[in-house]
Amino acid sequence: MTIKILFNLLTISSILLFPNMLQGQRDSISATRLSEVVISSYHINDSLMNAPASVGILTAAELQRNNNTDISMAMNMISGVQMQSATFNTNRISIRGIGARTPYGTNKIRAFFGNIPLTSGDSETTIEDLDIENLQQVEIIKGPLSSVYGAGLGGAILLTPGRSPAGNLASISTTHGSWGLMKTTARVSTASEKANLSVNYHNMKFDGWRENSSYQREGVTLSGELFKSEKSRLTYLGNYTYMKAFIPSSIDRETFENNPQEAAFTWKAAQGFEQYDSYMGGLSYEFDVSPSIKNTTSVFVNHKISNEPRPFDILRQNTTAYGARTQFAGRLKFTLPISYIIGAEYFRDGFSGQTLENLYQDNNGMGSVTGGQLTGTTQDRVFYNVFAQANVALAEKLDLRAGINLNRTNFELRTEFPADQSRTESYRYDAIWAPQVSLLYTPNRYTTLYASASRGFSLPAIEETLTPEGSINTGIKPETGYNLEVGAKMYLLNKKLYIESAVYRMLITDLLVARRIGDDQYVGVNAGQTLHQGIELSSRYNWQKLNWRIEPFAALSLGKYEFADFVSDDIDYSGNELAGVPSTKASAGLIVYWKQLFISGTYNFVGAVPLNDGNTAYSEQYAVTDIKTGFEFMAIPNLTFDVAAGINNLGNERYASMILPNATGFGNSQPRYYYPGLPINYYFQLRFRYLL
């Protein structure tokens, strides 16, 4: 009966509306079937249907269905995934409720840009710096189902850089929108049989609709391949990003309801901001060791220099990370055929930071001024991952997948200032074993069913490993969790309709809690267990007749996220809902093509969110509707011209685009839980592409 109910829900959801393509990058209008989705070559399986896991896919067209500036709009169309966005530089990604309690930023999720890890040694992940127009595909592996990527509790995010098409291509696009939004992207690429090269430059500015919220970012990405042959290729990737963003911070409920454009008083007075230069590069060599074995070996480096004047101090950091990764993939011919991946990863992250006095109160309203040094520390973190996965064909229609990841992490902290408190401390976590096993059943070429069990872990961030006095907190340890999941994927109606569902249950132990100790300052503790349970449904459809094509799409997430065992400050929160994550999230939309014209609309609903562990306050549920229309035509041979315009938040909904869980008011002030989302806003786009 339960399976029948789920199937009926899936069928109904498929009728809802949601786009999955955009003008200029859509398939030929003559296509009448949904194409098979290819996934990363890191997997044993090469297609979404053959992967015994829930994997959300965003194509280049889906990433650009909005204004080409904010990846969160696309990420939030994936069931089970929520990317809260306070400003362009302040975001938090949670998958199935994992990561929702992080005060700022994203952790508990591993991310890769090509072969380069985007997740730093302190567990922080930043994907919003990358230009959407330079991404070919985004894969979101939900839950700790891939031992190949380190078995992060939330999952893994794989971003594939844009590839060079055959021949030579030059393109330029520009977006202009409300509050001074302006983004320009230029790209030049060339490709031959043996090599290809792509150079992408982008520049983005935004005056901001809130006080103290202007934003500027520019970057350049170089990517390509050398020595291409049937048996080998060398892939290279480099990226530089400069970013400066002023921070309005969160506000209390009264301000949110009556004057949401206000910045928090102290951040406005200090004119607080975040600024950094970020560099990353990597090389990856793929070659056939033998007809049945392939090796991929990568080396990478990241470097970041940042400066962040805050009301309570000025933080300056210098981080350098480097590492290597190798994996062998092959097939063994025993009684039962076996496909396998085995490999290892080494990652070293060197962090140097200092805090200084912020004398903004003595600067006559002119913002932050650097004072004397308060602290100075360095930290080196090293971790090793050894992993293996195997796929065994037990029968013609039944496969067994098993994998394991072994992680070992140690770090060293050196206190360098004040000089009279200088010391060196070392610590290591116990080795963490993260196994996973899955069964995949394919009754026919259009249907797959799977069941899986897995264990994952998440390492504490640097701030969580330190005591308020700046020493290593030896009492803290990584979070671990156990996940059980069943799912189904199927094509119906002559492969015009795709439906996917998943049911999961995850128990997190040694929960990492950010305990507030001051104004916007936190310390981490292990404080109990959380239980994450949910159902995810998604569907998409392709209808075509003559010059018309209609593509609806829908996604639904229903979850129950609660504390299974959680006591903090002698208060028992067991049974309460987990702060920072909605139990219901739904999205739907539609895109209609007629010849070179298109019009699309998307709808995103987010249920009420608990604001604190005591569940004494909730944000209100909201729904945001976006629309876009445009056309494409060929001005002269090989020169394509696109024009589009759109409206976001069509109903001018007042909503909190990001929540600060467990915010605390100091003195008589109210807690600052809310980051207000953008009111109704408009944009216009142009793009030229010339194929030589």
Side-chain angles (χ1 to χ4, degrees):
M1 179 63 70
T2 302
I3 294 176
K4 184 176 180 180
I5 292 173
L6 285 174
F7 181 80
N8 289 335
L9 284 171
L10 282 165
T11 304
I12 293 171
S13 70
S14 69
I15 302 173
L16 299 177
L17 308 177
F18 202 105
N20 74 330
M21 292 292 176
L22 187 70
Q23 43 72 312
Q25 298 190 21
R26 57 187 182 271
D27 295 334
S28 169
I29 200 154
S30 62
T32 60
R33 292 186 174 190
L34 293 167
S35 58
E36 186 78 3
V37 178
V38 177
I39 58 178
S40 169
S41 60
Y42 275 140
H43 303 280
I44 289 178
N45 305 100
D46 60 356
S47 72
L48 182 62
M49 286 291 288
N50 293 329
S54 180
V55 183
I57 302 291
L58 292 169
T59 65
E62 291 166 333
L63 289 166
Q64 297 178 42
R65 67 160 60 96
N66 204 274
N67 60 12
N68 294 347
T69 64
D70 187 354
I71 196 172
S72 68
M73 297 179 180
M75 296 280 285
N76 286 327
M77 301 306 170
I78 301 295
S79 62
V81 178
Q82 186 184 26
M83 184 171 181
Q84 299 185 50
S85 181
T87 56
F88 286 116
N89 66 304
T90 304
N91 298 273
R92 180 196 304 124
I93 303 172
S94 61
I95 300 177
R96 296 176 172 177
I98 304 297
R101 295 175 57 85
T102 306
Y104 313 103
T106 297
N107 63 12
K108 303 177 177 45
I109 296 167
R110 290 210 73 195
F112 294 81
F113 183 42
N115 296 317
I116 302 176
L118 293 176
T119 304
S120 62
D122 67 350
S123 302
E124 188 81 8
T125 294
T126 302
I127 69 171
E128 52 269 21
D129 285 349
L130 300 173
D131 182 12
I132 291 178
E133 295 181 73
N134 194 39
L135 298 178
Q136 176 176 301
Q137 182 169 284
V138 174
E139 297 176 38
I140 305 170
I141 304 172
K142 305 173 193 174
L145 290 175
S146 180
S147 54
V148 172
Y149 298 107
L153 277 175
I157 300 176
L158 315 179
L159 298 97
T160 303
R163 295 176 183 170
S164 303
N168 303 312
L169 175 70
S171 68
I172 186 168
S173 66
T174 184
T175 298
H176 296 263
S178 302
W179 299 292
L181 174 65
M182 183 177 68
K183 176 175 177 282
T184 300
T185 295
R187 183 181 182 187
V188 177
S189 64
T190 182
S192 66
E193 183 179 345
K194 297 293 184 180
N196 59 69
L197 166 68
S198 178
V199 180
N200 184 89
Y201 169 80
H202 79 276
N203 190 309
M204 177 175 165
K205 296 180 180 180
F206 182 56
D207 293 339
W209 79 281
R210 294 182 63 194
E211 297 174 333
N212 201 61
S213 64
S214 63
Y215 178 89
Q216 181 181 0
R217 185 185 79 218
E218 64 178 326
V220 60
T221 302
L222 174 72
S223 62
E225 296 173 313
L226 295 172
F227 316 123
K228 291 174 58 180
S229 70
E230 292 183 0
K231 296 184 178 181
S232 65
R233 69 183 63 200
L234 176 67
T235 302
Y236 57 92
L237 177 64
N239 186 83
Y240 165 74
T241 300
Y242 165 81
M243 194 279 298
K244 182 175 182 179
F246 285 84
I247 301 174
S249 196
S250 55
I251 53 179
D252 59 35
R253 185 177 185 87
E254 182 179 351
T255 307
F256 171 72
E257 292 179 345
N258 299 309
N259 200 10
Q261 71 271 19
E262 278 192 6
F265 174 77
T266 53
W267 284 88
K268 178 183 176 181
Q271 297 180 22
F273 63 86
E274 178 186 15
Q275 178 181 1
Y276 57 73
D277 293 91
S278 175
Y279 310 82
M280 61 181 174
L283 293 172
S284 179
Y285 186 58
E286 178 183 312
F287 68 100
D288 293 344
V289 179
S290 72
S292 61
I293 302 176
K294 176 180 290 186
N295 174 261
T296 303
T297 298
S298 307
V299 294
F300 50 84
V301 62
N302 289 325
H303 181 61
K304 188 174 184 178
I305 304 171
S306 61
N307 178 40
E308 186 176 352
R310 309 176 292 190
F312 44 89
D313 64 22
I314 296 175
L315 174 64
R316 292 177 179 168
Q317 296 177 313
N318 192 320
T319 302
T320 300
Y322 58 89
R325 178 188 179 93
T326 187
Q327 72 174 44
F328 292 85
R331 296 180 63 86
L332 299 175
K333 295 181 180 180
F334 292 117
T335 304
L336 298 175
I338 300 175
S339 302
Y340 67 88
I341 290 177
I342 186 169
E345 178 183 14
Y346 170 82
F347 189 97
R348 185 181 186 94
D349 191 301
F351 164 87
S352 174
Q354 59 178 211
T355 60
L356 305 101
E357 292 179 301
N358 192 339
L359 306 179
Y360 72 94
Q361 293 175 316
D362 302 326
N363 196 26
N364 299 318
M366 299 299 291
S368 296
V369 173
T370 302
Q373 185 172 351
L374 299 173
T375 64
T377 58
T378 61
Q379 185 178 108
D380 290 321
R381 182 179 296 208
V382 178
F383 74 73
Y384 309 85
N385 278 325
V386 179
F387 54 87
Q389 283 189 356
N391 193 80
V392 184
L394 299 178
E396 181 181 356
K397 298 180 179 181
L398 182 65
D399 287 358
L400 170 68
R401 162 83 64 83
I404 194 164
N405 180 284
L406 171 63
N407 175 271
R408 193 63 187 258
T409 300
N410 56 71
F411 53 91
E412 181 179 85
L413 174 70
R414 296 183 294 277
T415 301
E416 300 172 343
F417 189 89
D420 59 352
Q421 299 179 20
S422 63
R423 60 189 181 276
T424 299
E425 303 170 86
S426 299
Y427 190 70
R428 68 168 52 189
Y429 298 124
D430 294 335
I432 303 174
W433 293 89
Q436 63 100 359
V437 62
S438 305
L439 284 173
L440 180 71
Y441 176 61
T442 55
N444 57 65
R445 59 185 296 191
Y446 297 124
T447 304
T448 59
L449 307 173
Y450 70 89
S452 67
S454 57
R455 183 179 189 240
F457 61 90
S458 291
L459 300 172
I462 285 179
E463 293 81 1
E464 294 173 323
T465 63
L466 303 179
T467 66
E469 294 75 30
S471 299
I472 290 179
N473 181 2
T474 57
I476 201 171
K477 54 186 176 181
E479 288 182 348
T480 58
Y482 297 87
N483 181 71
L484 300 175
E485 181 174 335
V486 295
K489 306 171 188 179
M490 63 188 72
Y491 285 103
L492 300 171
L493 303 179
N494 195 26
K495 212 176 177 183
K496 295 180 181 180
L497 172 64
Y498 176 76
I499 295 176
E500 182 174 342
S501 66
V503 180
Y504 62 89
R505 186 180 192 272
M506 186 186 302
L507 177 66
I508 308 300
T509 60
D510 298 318
L511 176 70
L512 286 169
V513 176
R515 181 170 293 163
R516 191 162 187 160
I517 58 173
D519 186 13
D520 293 329
Q521 294 176 292
Y522 299 83
V523 66
V525 297
N526 292 107
Q529 300 178 334
T530 58
L531 184 61
H532 302 247
Q533 304 175 92
I535 299 173
E536 296 167 357
L537 309 170
S538 61
S539 64
R540 63 180 185 268
Y541 184 75
N542 183 353
W543 179 90
Q544 187 266 334
K545 187 173 183 180
L546 298 177
N547 292 321
W548 290 89
R549 191 168 81 199
I550 300 176
E551 296 178 350
F553 186 104
L556 174 66
S557 307
L558 301 174
K560 185 178 182 181
Y561 312 107
E562 62 183 10
F563 295 110
D565 178 18
F566 179 38
V567 177
S568 180
D569 294 330
D570 297 324
I571 301 175
D572 189 353
Y573 296 105
S574 302
N576 285 10
E577 292 183 87
L578 186 65
V581 58
S583 59
T584 303
K585 193 174 80 73
S587 52
L590 175 72
I591 186 164
V592 178
Y593 298 106
W594 182 72
K595 295 184 178 180
Q596 284 76 40
L597 300 173
F598 80 93
I599 184 169
S600 71
T602 62
Y603 172 87
N604 189 34
F605 170 84
V606 177
V609 177
L611 299 177
N612 54 45
D613 296 338
N615 295 171
T616 59
Y618 284 75
S619 70
E620 294 182 357
Q621 65 182 37
Y622 66 86
V624 174
T625 301
D626 303 327
I627 61 172
K628 184 175 184 178
T629 186
F631 64 92
E632 171 189 289
F633 65 91
M634 185 170 291
I636 61 174
N638 297 332
L639 177 63
T640 303
F641 173 75
D642 302 343
V643 61
I647 305 174
N648 289 332
N649 194 3
L650 184 63
N652 201 26
E653 181 91 349
R654 176 173 294 169
Y655 67 101
S657 58
M658 184 168 170
I659 294 297
L660 181 59
N662 295 306
T664 303
F666 291 90
N668 296 322
S669 61
Q670 298 179 17
R672 295 187 356 239
Y673 292 120
Y674 301 92
Y675 290 92
L678 283 171
I680 186 172
N681 59 95
Y682 312 86
Y683 62 91
F684 176 77
Q685 296 175 331
L686 290 173
R687 177 168 53 188
F688 298 89
R689 287 172 296 166
Y690 185 64
L691 182 63
L692 301 178

